[in-house]
Amino acid sequence: MAARRPLLFTLLAIASAAGACSGAPPVDPVTSHDFRKTTLSTAFTCEGASHGDFDRDGDQDVVAGPYWYAGPEFAQRHQLYPPTAFDPKSYSDCFFAFVHDFNDDGWDDVLVVGFPGQTAAWLENPREAAIDWSRHVVVDVVDNEAPAFVDLTGDGAPELVFSNGGRMGWAGPDPGAPASPWTFHPLTAVEGFVTFTHGLGVGDVDGDGRADVLEATGWWKQPASLAGDPIWERRPQSFGSGGAQMLTNDVDGDGDADVITSLAAHGSGLAWYEQRAGGAFVQHVIVPPEEATGGVALHEPHAVAVDDVDGDGLHDIVTGERFWGHVPAGEPDFAAPAHLYWFQLIRDAAGPHYVPHLIDDASGVGTQVVVGDVTRDGLPDIVVANKKGAFVHVHAIDGR
């Protein structure tokens, strides 16, 4: 594990040298952008966490598995359901937590996606009552390991995009009956999307104003109409062997959508794929895969997010290591590092490239990493939960 930190400084040096040689200003290491870690728990209860205003007091709270923590201090803990402290050599029953007001009563609820192959259910906020949250199972099986909760259909409401029965598709609530099971709408034929399939994304790849669906082997173009659940047109393309979330973002500033993803959820590597004329994609490695370096550069990058971390108008990358995602043989060292990084997007005469910044070496990511302004100070913060515990990384500038 110790071999990874020299790589970080090597990449910083290379990026700085590239800027100097091109005549561009030297890359600022942005040491003024710091993150203060708040540990919510050291128990392993989940690998998905997020934030919302669960008590409607105007402050953002954090939800991590069976608890939500009241902001802005996160010291007061409230129970959603009976907690279980899982063995870190095993897995939890909460891989993802998505926040949304499902019954339109003005109170944030939580959608929990469990272990792959199991259910998804939304937990109903009891408002001010100190009771466990009612559980509404809405999807019987979510197979893949990176489902997305996003407005896929363009109707202004988010849907869950996932695989079920070998097909990729989506499901969303009925506004008139939010607690009823959701209807699955397949967008592919049976393509062999087995339980534990890695890599999924939603974004407008071709710029037609409609969200498309990405997977490690290609992307599916959304048709003009979804009436009758048509099969979407598949565009083959390799985006690695199957990583985590796949994000569409205009990395190079040429006006089209590029793709950002980790290369292998249980391996190493991070890359962006440049979209060229005609819809072809060219891979640009940000962090090399393990086999290319002879060592681990970014081990098990099982969750990826993009956000403008430094406020320069460009979307940076937040990712890290899913500690003990697959527990190695023998007795691994539980004190081993679990790195969390943000990768600063730089555009200069040398072209677009990313400069890594280490946020923390004792938290990493889970199967989900959420970036958002939790503290309402205009700066993006980071929420993660995993086998190390649950954490909020509060963004600060110049130590403030």
Side-chain angles (χ1 to χ4, degrees), residues 79-364:
Q79 181 173 302
L80 285 78
Y81 56 87
T84 299
F86 295 94
D87 182 348
K89 293 184 180 179
S90 182
Y91 299 96
S92 76
D93 58 2
C94 175
F95 270 46
F96 292 86
F98 301 106
V99 176
H100 182 68
D101 179 7
F102 288 97
N103 55 0
D104 199 27
D105 66 352
W107 295 74
D108 282 341
D109 308 302
V110 179
L111 175 66
V112 174
V113 180
F115 186 80
Q118 297 184 2
T119 64
W122 70 271
L123 308 181
E124 184 176 352
N125 191 330
R127 306 183 183 185
E128 297 176 314
I131 58 175
D132 285 353
W133 295 28
S134 297
R135 180 181 178 89
H136 306 286
V137 176
V138 290
V139 174
D140 58 349
V141 173
V142 177
D143 276 330
N144 61 306
E145 292 208 27
F149 189 59
V150 64
D151 182 8
L152 174 70
T153 64
D155 63 355
E159 294 89 21
L160 186 67
V161 185
F162 61 102
S163 63
N164 178 297
R167 302 174 297 175
M168 193 72 71
W170 57 274
D174 177 353
S180 299
W182 300 352
T183 299
F184 180 68
H185 302 271
L187 62 91
T188 73
V190 176
E191 299 266 0
F193 295 116
V194 298
T195 305
F196 310 114
T197 293
H198 290 81
L200 183 143
V202 175
D204 184 3
V205 177
D206 55 0
D208 65 357
R210 295 186 292 270
D212 308 302
V213 172
L214 301 101
E215 191 264 337
T217 65
W219 64 278
W220 282 261
K221 175 181 172 61
Q222 182 170 163
S225 172
L226 296 178
D229 290 340
I231 299 300
W232 297 17
E233 179 186 352
R234 182 177 183 268
R235 304 287 180 88
Q237 169 68 46
S238 175
F239 294 111
S241 62
Q245 291 77 15
M246 302 173 67
L247 297 315
T248 55
N249 186 65
D250 185 6
V251 174
D252 51 9
D254 65 354
D256 59 22
D258 306 306
V259 176
I260 298 167
T261 186
S262 60
L263 296 176
H266 296 289
S268 301
L270 180 69
W272 71 278
Y273 290 79
E274 177 188 358
Q275 185 169 178
R276 298 274 181 90
F281 288 86
V282 176
Q283 184 191 74
H284 298 271
V285 173
I286 302 169
V287 177
E290 181 176 0
E291 58 267 26
T293 63
V296 176
L298 184 63
H299 184 58
E300 295 194 271
H302 211 298
V304 181
V306 296
D307 204 286
D308 183 6
V309 175
D310 55 0
D312 65 353
L314 304 179
H315 281 78
D316 311 299
I317 301 172
V318 176
T319 188
E321 298 169 315
R322 182 189 175 198
F323 183 79
W324 280 14
H326 280 180
V327 178
E331 293 294 331
D333 180 8
F334 196 74
H339 293 133
L340 177 66
Y341 299 97
W342 72 278
F343 291 81
Q344 179 190 13
L345 174 57
I346 302 291
R347 292 180 189 156
D348 58 21
H353 53 274
Y354 288 91
V355 177
H357 303 277
L358 181 64
I359 295 171
D360 184 61
D361 65 358
S363 60

